[in-house]
Amino acid sequence: VRRKAEEKIEKRGRGETICEDMANPNSPDPYGPCNPDDDDLVTKYKPLLQKLSISSIVGYCSGVTAKRVGKSLAFIAGLGFVALQALAHKGFVTVDWKKVQKSTIEKLDTDKDGEFTEKDLQRYWAKVKEILTNNVPDASGFGLGFMFGLRS
């Protein structure tokens, strides 16, 4: 076993492929994959690649961007809350959180029922989709790419 390991180290040092007994004899690349099935990723993922469109790629990029911007905005909002609470705790400011909540709900409530509900979120999501898919040739591909971008 030790002798085989030493041979492999010597072959690697000479630039030879280590798995020549499994190497693809049709491959011009001696450093290529040893298994011919791993050789052609394009063929392997051809069905997936055929479904890709410019809209889905742009959707994915937009989703990744939205996720990062959302995280940044959440960080800034959280930092602002912590700073306000620290100032309120030290007595520098007084914050009426019930009034803040009431005015925020008034601004965000689209159906004017006095609550920020799932229906309100659905209306905002519809507006976002309308803006992002305006004049996009394949809106469904964009939407799918956008969702994948948000999940990545």
Side-chain angles (χ1 to χ4, degrees):
V1 175
R2 186 169 191 211
R3 178 73 186 135
K4 282 189 174 188
E6 289 172 353
E7 286 176 10
K8 286 182 181 181
I9 292 171
E10 287 175 20
K11 286 180 181 182
R12 186 177 286 148
R14 291 192 304 258
E16 295 179 29
T17 182
I18 296 172
C19 51
E20 72 266 344
D21 53 332
M22 299 181 344
N24 183 357
N26 300 323
S27 176
D29 183 8
Y31 304 106
C34 297
N35 187 352
D37 295 333
D38 294 340
D39 196 21
D40 196 4
L41 288 175
V42 174
T43 304
K44 185 176 180 180
Y45 292 107
K46 187 175 182 180
L48 176 67
L49 293 173
Q50 286 175 335
K51 299 203 186 278
L52 285 178
S53 66
I54 189 69
S55 297
S56 60
I57 293 169
V58 170
Y60 176 80
C61 295
S62 299
V64 169
T65 302
K67 181 179 177 180
R68 290 190 179 168
V69 167
K71 283 184 175 184
S72 298
L73 290 176
F75 175 78
I76 291 169
L79 186 64
F81 173 76
V82 169
L84 273 175
Q85 281 296 94
L87 291 172
H89 179 73
K90 294 292 183 183
F92 290 108
V93 295
T94 304
V95 181
D96 185 359
W97 287 112
K98 291 194 183 277
K99 188 174 182 181
V100 171
Q101 180 181 7
K102 183 180 177 189
S103 67
T104 303
I105 288 175
E106 285 176 3
K107 299 261 193 253
L108 296 176
D109 185 22
T110 59
D111 55 5
K112 303 299 179 200
D113 64 351
E115 296 178 351
F116 185 66
T117 60
E118 183 180 343
K119 289 180 183 179
D120 299 317
L121 276 176
Q122 288 174 344
R123 287 184 178 163
Y124 280 114
W125 178 244
K127 287 179 184 179
V128 167
K129 284 194 312 188
E130 181 183 336
I131 291 168
L132 293 177
T133 58
N134 185 32
N135 277 340
V136 174
D138 181 19
S140 63
F142 178 88
L144 185 63
F146 188 84
M147 296 309 284
F148 273 117
L150 286 176
R151 289 186 53 117
S152 67

